[in-house]
Amino acid sequence: MTSSHTDELLSYMKEHGGVEAQRQTSFVAAYFENTDPEEIATRGAATLYAVANAHWRLLDAPHAASDARLRVFNPTLAEDGFVSEHTVVQIVHDDMPFLVDSVTMAINRNGRTAHWIVHPLMSVARDAAGRVASASSVAAAGALGQNYPIESLILVECDRIVSASDRQALAQELARVLGDVRSSVQDWAVMLERVQNVSDAAIGSPLSADSRQEGIDFLHWLQDRHFTFLGARDYDFRRDAAGVNLVACPDSGLGILRGTPQTLETLLPSGALNLMQSNELVLVTKAMTRATVHRPAWLDYIGVKRFDANGQLVGETRFLGLYTSTAYSAPVSQIPRVRRLAAQVMKSAGVVPDSHAAKALQAILDAYPRDEL
């Protein structure tokens, strides 16, 4: 947003903002600070102020700690002071990773296209009643030595949703997605701790030394910024006449797997049972659900076997998440489990080390999709 647009907007606010104008000055100046000037130029000062003022009311409304505040609406002059051919989504949330991407994903899953996104980060001071005492950009607050909590404001204009029930459905989906983001971010450190715990416990497993170490190395590799952990849960094995059942452990869910599991008990098919009884410590595959957090992809499933003191297989610890961009760009020779498979392929091919054929095969392996490897 250019300085001339800012001056025009602030001038309009002072003239038409009434008693709230003084409280809103820093907020309105920061709201469109990083917005595309071309988008700003298509809207007059009156519309821009009305958009910011609608979001201010959401920011200033009483709310429970850590709860998301959101509104999905078709603006009207009478209620909002502006109109739009689009439906407007406004959100106020404690600042944390993945918010904008996850919100945009949810809107796209709803069959709508996002046409305009505004995402100011505000340093917000609140009074004892939870009302806004001051709100300004993080940079401006830092320059004054202020260390107030940072709140993330998200504005999305998307394809118009005519039906009130459909707007309500989108609001409910957005609330669910924001809950998934919050759970994943809040439990991230605990999930990393659980990875370390299962790694430590695996040292005493009855698997072959090579497979055991390769599995432990893979878990450590995931911890080293190669995997975005979004959920975790422990499962126990229960054996009966029908076979082996995987039973969710109560209160073990973290991140997107918090709360009561949708399926408490699952009979393992023979193929899955064979994998559980293999010599591998870690089982890697794709989950049957898409991520609601971070990016629109099928969730990656990491299953780590658990053994009792007698070396008996007693269950698994499951992690759901997404590999990071660093993981997808890592050489196959540096990825535990994959490096062993790649070496086996090279050996089976019978190519001479450092020969043209060996280099060509290595290039194929390096370019091969990491998910397939």
Side-chain angles (χ1 to χ4, degrees):
M1 186 174 182
T2 65
S3 58
S4 61
H5 286 127
T6 301
D7 292 342
E8 182 181 357
L9 176 57
L10 292 178
S11 177
Y12 181 90
M13 180 198 67
K14 290 176 181 177
E15 183 176 352
H16 300 279
V19 295
E20 290 285 5
Q22 185 173 357
R23 273 208 306 156
Q24 291 180 335
T25 299
S26 297
F27 169 83
V28 172
Y31 189 83
F32 297 107
E33 190 172 59
N34 297 311
T35 303
D36 183 353
E38 292 185 5
E39 290 285 355
I40 293 296
T42 63
R43 299 164 172 84
T47 296
L48 292 173
Y49 175 66
V51 170
N53 187 53
H55 221 149
W56 167 269
R57 294 198 304 270
L58 194 62
L59 179 70
D60 198 36
H63 68 284
S66 300
D67 276 0
R69 284 142 287 161
L70 65 94
R71 186 177 173 218
V72 179
F73 62 104
N74 294 334
T76 64
L77 282 174
E79 183 176 359
D80 308 292
F82 71 106
V83 294
S84 174
E85 62 182 352
H86 300 129
T87 288
V88 175
V89 176
Q90 289 186 330
I91 296 171
V92 176
H93 197 285
D94 292 344
D95 185 44
M96 57 185 60
F98 311 137
L99 287 174
V100 175
D101 290 345
S102 302
V103 165
T104 305
M105 281 166 49
I107 291 172
N108 290 339
R109 281 197 306 275
N110 192 257
R112 315 289 171 172
T113 299
H115 298 280
W116 189 37
I117 299 175
V118 180
H119 179 223
L121 296 177
M122 295 284 183
S123 178
V124 182
R126 295 184 179 274
D127 60 23
R131 300 287 301 281
V132 176
S134 69
S136 61
S137 70
V138 175
L144 296 174
Q146 298 170 340
N147 190 30
Y148 301 130
I150 300 174
E151 300 192 33
S152 180
L153 279 68
I154 303 171
L155 163 73
V156 182
E157 285 191 357
C158 68
D159 293 341
R160 191 173 185 85
I161 305 173
V162 176
S163 166
S165 61
D166 288 345
R167 292 195 300 272
Q168 179 61 26
L170 177 58
Q172 291 172 348
E173 172 64 8
L174 288 170
R176 184 180 73 87
V177 166
L178 292 170
D180 285 347
V181 172
R182 191 161 53 249
S183 297
S184 299
V185 172
Q186 290 174 346
D187 289 350
W188 176 74
V190 185
M191 285 188 277
L192 286 181
E193 183 180 348
R194 187 169 293 183
V195 175
Q196 188 60 51
N197 290 340
V198 296
S199 299
D200 294 342
I203 294 174
S205 71
L207 303 172
S208 68
D210 179 59
S211 290
R212 180 173 61 238
Q213 190 58 53
E214 197 72 358
I216 292 172
D217 289 348
F218 181 70
L219 293 174
H220 291 164
W221 181 81
L222 295 176
Q223 286 178 288
D224 190 24
R225 300 182 182 277
H226 290 113
F227 195 74
T228 301
F229 289 90
L230 299 177
R233 180 178 285 131
D234 290 334
Y235 292 83
D236 288 336
F237 286 160
R238 186 177 61 80
R239 294 169 172 84
D240 57 26
V244 179
N245 293 274
L246 203 60
V247 183
C249 298
D251 303 321
S252 67
L254 297 172
I256 61 174
L257 295 179
R258 273 189 190 180
T260 303
Q262 293 182 354
T263 304
L264 293 172
E265 187 170 338
T266 304
L267 179 65
L268 288 178
S270 59
L273 186 57
N274 290 337
L275 285 174
M276 294 303 298
Q277 294 173 340
S278 70
N279 192 40
E280 298 292 339
L281 172 66
V282 181
L283 306 177
V284 178
T285 187
K286 288 288 184 181
M288 299 299 292
T289 55
R290 286 187 174 272
T292 57
V293 177
H294 188 23
R295 68 173 189 264
W298 293 102
L299 285 165
D300 292 292
Y301 168 112
I302 310 294
V304 186
K305 297 175 185 176
R306 292 191 293 110
F307 300 86
D308 64 16
N310 298 319
Q312 178 75 21
L313 183 63
V314 295
E316 77 164 21
T317 295
R318 180 178 303 175
F319 299 97
L320 296 180
L322 297 167
Y323 293 107
T324 65
S325 59
T326 306
Y328 285 109
S329 62
V332 294
S333 60
Q334 296 179 13
I335 305 175
R337 287 175 50 95
V338 171
R339 65 192 178 192
R340 186 173 60 175
L341 295 172
Q344 290 172 355
V345 169
M346 296 292 286
K347 182 178 179 180
S348 299
V351 294
V352 178
D354 297 324
S355 66
H356 175 77
K359 292 177 181 178
L361 180 54
Q362 186 64 55
I364 292 172
L365 291 172
D366 284 336
Y368 206 80
R370 294 300 185 267
D371 286 332
E372 295 299 324
L373 289 172

